[in-house]
Amino acid sequence: MTDSSLQPAGPVTDDAQRARPVDPARGTRRGLALDQISLDPGFWKTLQDANSAGTLRHCIEWMERLGWLANFDRVAAGTMDHNRPGWQFSDSEVYKLLEALTWEYGRTGDAEVDAIFESLVDRVAAAEDEDGYLNTYFGHPGRPERYSDFSMGHELYCAGHLLQAAVARMRTKGEDRFVALGRRVADHVLREFGPEGRNGVCGHPEIEVALAEFARATGDTRYRDQARLFIDRRGHGTLTPVPLLGPAYFQDEIPVRDTESWHGHAVRALYLAAGAVDIAVDAEDSALLNVLEEQWHHTVARRTYLTGGMGSRHQDEGFGEDWELPPDRAYCETCAGVGSLMVSWRLYLATGRVEYVDLMERTLFNVIATSPSPDGTAFFYANPLQQRVEGSDVLPDAVNSRAEGGVRAPWFDVSCCPTNLARTLASWQSYSASVEAENLAVLLQYTAGEFDFPLRNGLLRLHVSTDYPNASDIALSVSEAPREGAALRLRIPSWANGASVSVNGGPADPVTPGWCDLPEPVFEGEEIRLVLPTEPRLTWPDPRIDAMRGTVAVERGPLVLCVESRDLPEGISLESVALDVSVSPSPDGDGARARAKSVKTPAQARGALPFGGVPADQEMSEEFDLILVPYHRWAERGPSTMRVFVPVAVDPISKSPSGPILEGRSDER
Ligand SMILES: [Zn+2]
């Protein structure tokens, strides 16, 4: 059923149809396209290369091995029956991979990647029904009826991921048979769920954000109207509850507009919010946008981990209540990190506020970069901030249960995270720089590479040299600029107290966190030096996070650090470690070295329970050096126990932590 009469169009050149995942119909900010940034060796290129060389093919191999790809072949051949491998949503993994492959092709022009994409499209397209319905789980002989399970069926969720892949294709290669397939799938959704159609919403949001972007890419506002309809229909309890999961799990107990904070299943909440931002922006619904900004602020201030991770509860993979942030039970699904990026990027484009980009940096370095193994073939699904028991080494051929922590696994029973990482890393560039009002270049994330800002008066080409985040220095050289110069804005991260900027070797002017607009236009041949201090610093939790009270973390630049058991002195257990905060941690490689003691095990037995009527003695050991490493690297050397927040050593005489460092917050030094 593939349409071979539609030939792929040539490369897309119109700036409104460039290779970027998000392109609002209204507003003055636009992210650079993938082909406007090329990365040089550095932190993000290493991850992107591992994605290219490892993750993309790894995902195909696993989906082939488990029969998730063959499900399409069986539907096409009419042989699908009651015995179908994979969850209801396994088609979506194929679509997320298609999205990743097409961004990869758009970025690299690699013909082999495009050939893989086309071969997968052959199989996907062959499974399409006459009316544009495409799903291998429902609607076939021996299978459940179409749209018979809105709560958990994920049919519209799958369609949404196909549409996001089609948007990526449109913006990297132009109209082709896959884009045409996307149109038929989208039109089917409109016919089935339009104003006169079924009054249903999908248990897992995704179709909303997908239709909104599909409308932008095609210029057909019917898709946006449908996205808006789905958002407005939600929150009225139409989804049938499933055991142990109430309507809040699906964000179906209260409309988006009336929601104070993100709640329920974290990925669902974030995808829904991303779609709602798109609708608010394109429909110029400022009331809705304000509500979404308030939701972001509430959730980030009270329900988000230091890593940027979201989701405290394992049972429903969901947000907890305010301040419910246990480090050892943190769920922080990798996909929730992706969802958080999706929302924050859209809010940045809509408002220009720096805090959204700050959270993106935190999430990129500490959730997204943490999940994949260095070769891109094993992944964390959950990203807790404390691991009490060493993970058991996983077999390279084993399907892991999703939340089993402590080691990166090659694949999961529910394997949403690897393909979500793949599409995010393949398009990483598109979140790192933007142009505002066609005349202001904004550098958002720091990495080595070349950035081409298309400004109204001409091109601004910046070459960025840096080993950030492992170095403080970021050198920008202007290799091309409009004759009258160009306005340049830099982001000074929220943690970067003591940052400075100098132009052409001049004095280093102090700059404060937030936006830094260079006072003069920049011209070709000029050099700008930005210094972001990356000395280790102590970070204290809000005391209302009772699960972290009495503890402290160490950060360095954008990196959250952690202690791993393998770096402890012989005989010291991780749960006994206490940080001496009277001594500032010092740099050590890309991590830090601090002073610590350990709590000696009480000499006398205290009864059957680990509790007593008087406080236990907390006799401290001699001090020792405590090594902290970047959280994103934890467990790369093999299974270990780990913690980010470390109890503060208490002086046994005064029973209080002491030292000058506590007199001011360490980040205000
Ligand atoms: Zn996931």
Side-chain angles (χ1 to χ4, degrees), residues 333-335 381 416-417 420:
E333 183 182 341
T334 299
C335 286
Y381 189 114
C416 44
C417 301
N420 229 348

Side-chain angles (χ1 to χ4, degrees), residues 549-552 574-581 643 645-649:
R549 198 179 298 152
T551 67
V552 68
L574 188 54
E575 58 269 28
S576 76
V577 170
L579 198 73
D580 179 352
V581 293
R643 69 188 306 166
F645 283 91
V646 181
V648 173

Side-chain angles (χ1 to χ4, degrees), residues 37-56:
I37 304 171
S38 62
L39 300 185
D40 288 341
F43 189 95
W44 288 107
K45 182 160 173 33
T46 300
L47 276 156
Q48 196 164 63
D49 286 350
N51 191 52
S52 307
T55 307
L56 298 177

